[in-house]
Amino acid sequence: MSMLVVVTESVPFRLRGRLAVWLLEVRAGVYVGDVSKRIREMIWEQITELAEQGNVVMAWATNSESGFEFQTYGQNRRMPVDLDGLRLVSFYPVENQ
């Protein structure tokens, strides 16, 4: 089991309801929980199926150097980049939004 955080933006209400089944919504569009890898992967499948034009970031605790991993779905100005095995976030230029 590991800590999981999901942040949604402009997603349909049916996805928000589905996330609320497994996680606690602590703020609008921000979900937290302590789930297994299998449940985390199932949640990600639901996100990719139901998010439509919205965007989502999912982060979870790991034993990596940074202590967490994350993945994203949908259009957003931020893009994940890998720098020597460390995942960081870069920004697209404003005109590419």
Side-chain angles (χ1 to χ4, degrees):
M1 305 279 276
S2 67
M3 178 73 167
L4 176 70
V5 177
V6 177
V7 180
T8 64
E9 187 176 80
S10 302
V11 298
F13 288 114
R14 67 180 176 271
L15 175 58
R16 293 183 66 181
R18 184 63 60 105
L19 291 172
V21 168
W22 298 100
L23 306 168
L24 178 64
E25 188 173 14
V26 295
R27 289 267 197 245
V30 180
Y31 302 83
V32 297
D34 191 27
V35 299
S36 68
K37 179 180 178 184
R38 185 174 70 89
I39 298 299
R40 184 183 76 232
E41 290 171 350
M42 182 275 305
I43 289 171
W44 187 251
E45 286 177 21
Q46 295 292 309
I47 289 169
T48 59
E49 289 175 15
L50 300 174
E52 296 179 1
Q53 301 301 314
N55 66 74
V56 179
V57 62
M58 183 167 77
W60 61 94
T62 63
N63 290 330
S64 65
E65 193 165 320
S66 65
F68 65 92
E69 281 289 330
F70 69 94
Q71 56 191 17
T72 61
Y73 177 86
Q75 295 290 327
N76 193 298
R77 187 163 175 233
R78 293 167 179 86
M79 67 179 149
V81 293
D82 186 27
L83 183 64
D84 295 329
L86 187 61
R87 299 245 359 231
L88 302 173
V89 176
S90 182
F91 288 88
Y92 288 111
V94 174
E95 65 271 2
N96 288 347
Q97 290 189 40

